[in-house]
Amino acid sequence: MKLRGLAFTIALLVFPTGAWANDTIPANHENKPCDCKEGKHHGMSHKDWQAMMAEREQKLLGWVNQYTPEKKAEWTEVLKEKKNLRSQWMSPENSAKREQWKKEKIAKMEALKKQLESGKISKEEFIKQAHGGKEMGHWKTFHELRIAVDKKDSKQAAMLLNQLLEQTKQHNQRMKEKLAK
């Protein structure tokens, strides 16, 4: 029950900010709201989410072929490693590690929530610390990449693909560290 309360509190704090941000992201150089499908997967089943992620990966590899073909092999290896690390993390052998990680995350959120309620940190600081400082940069980069591809801006798309490759490598490194604990 505490977890539901915590999730509800976070939702109240984060969603209004996210909704405001969504209205301000331009779809092109005009001041129109973005019409992409980001954030519309809330409530999806696991199977639907997996299908969406597989589709996104295929789209990503298509963009790699188009804008940075010299990095196709590196991308393929990094994505393969990411899938392997995820399946290791989700395996029954690592259920104790996942539970421990979850407990630590909940404890951290409770502590942050108390700091927010007592006025020791701002709402923005709470959100930043709640996300561990990573601020979901890879999702933002993917979003920007989609916009660059839609505009046919090959220079920007290549730069963002390289940035996303580095973020994916960093993600894989964090997963390796979690698994090594």
Side-chain angles (χ1 to χ4, degrees):
M1 203 59 179
K2 286 184 182 179
L3 181 59
R4 282 188 184 164
L6 177 63
F8 183 72
T9 303
I10 292 170
L12 287 175
L13 294 172
V14 175
F15 287 136
T17 306
W20 174 78
N22 251 357
D23 289 341
T24 61
I25 298 172
N28 39 35
H29 284 305
E30 302 166 25
N31 286 331
K32 294 180 186 173
C34 181
D35 62 350
C36 70
K37 294 179 180 146
E38 296 292 326
K40 294 184 180 173
H41 57 271
H42 181 72
M44 275 186 154
S45 73
H46 182 67
K47 191 176 180 180
D48 292 341
W49 183 82
Q50 284 181 317
M52 184 188 77
M53 295 312 288
E55 179 184 323
R56 184 171 285 191
E57 183 179 314
Q58 290 308 308
K59 194 178 289 189
L60 182 63
L61 288 173
W63 294 337
V64 168
N65 273 339
Q66 186 175 355
Y67 298 107
T68 57
E70 70 281 0
K71 298 212 174 177
K72 172 83 176 195
E74 187 176 3
W75 263 107
T76 304
E77 188 61 35
V78 167
L79 291 173
K80 181 180 172 184
E81 180 183 35
K82 182 180 177 182
K83 283 181 189 174
N84 182 29
L85 290 168
R86 177 162 171 75
S87 64
Q88 284 179 43
W89 179 249
M90 297 307 292
S91 71
E93 299 87 50
N94 286 309
S95 63
K97 287 181 184 179
R98 283 194 314 273
E99 286 302 313
Q100 180 61 33
W101 174 79
K102 191 186 223 180
K103 285 179 186 174
E104 290 170 3
K105 190 153 180 107
I106 290 171
K108 178 184 173 188
M109 294 302 283
E110 288 291 333
L112 286 172
K113 183 180 169 189
K114 286 179 184 174
Q115 289 179 349
L116 178 66
E117 289 171 350
S118 67
K120 291 181 181 175
I121 61 173
S122 67
K123 179 179 168 182
E124 291 78 20
E125 186 64 24
F126 172 83
I127 293 168
K128 184 177 181 180
Q129 288 185 31
H131 287 293
K134 64 183 181 210
E135 298 178 22
M136 304 303 280
H138 59 286
W139 290 106
K140 183 178 182 221
T141 304
F142 188 86
H143 178 83
E144 290 170 353
L145 173 60
R146 183 182 296 157
I147 292 170
V149 168
D150 289 345
K151 290 181 187 176
K152 298 184 181 356
D153 185 346
S154 56
K155 189 175 183 177
Q156 180 74 2
M159 188 271 302
L160 290 166
L161 280 166
N162 290 331
Q163 183 179 335
L164 194 57
L165 179 61
E166 286 307 309
Q167 289 170 340
T168 306
K169 287 178 181 179
Q170 291 169 6
H171 169 79
N172 287 352
Q173 187 58 42
R174 285 191 303 272
M175 287 301 294
K176 287 177 188 175
E177 290 167 7
K178 275 187 198 177
L179 287 164
K181 282 186 180 180

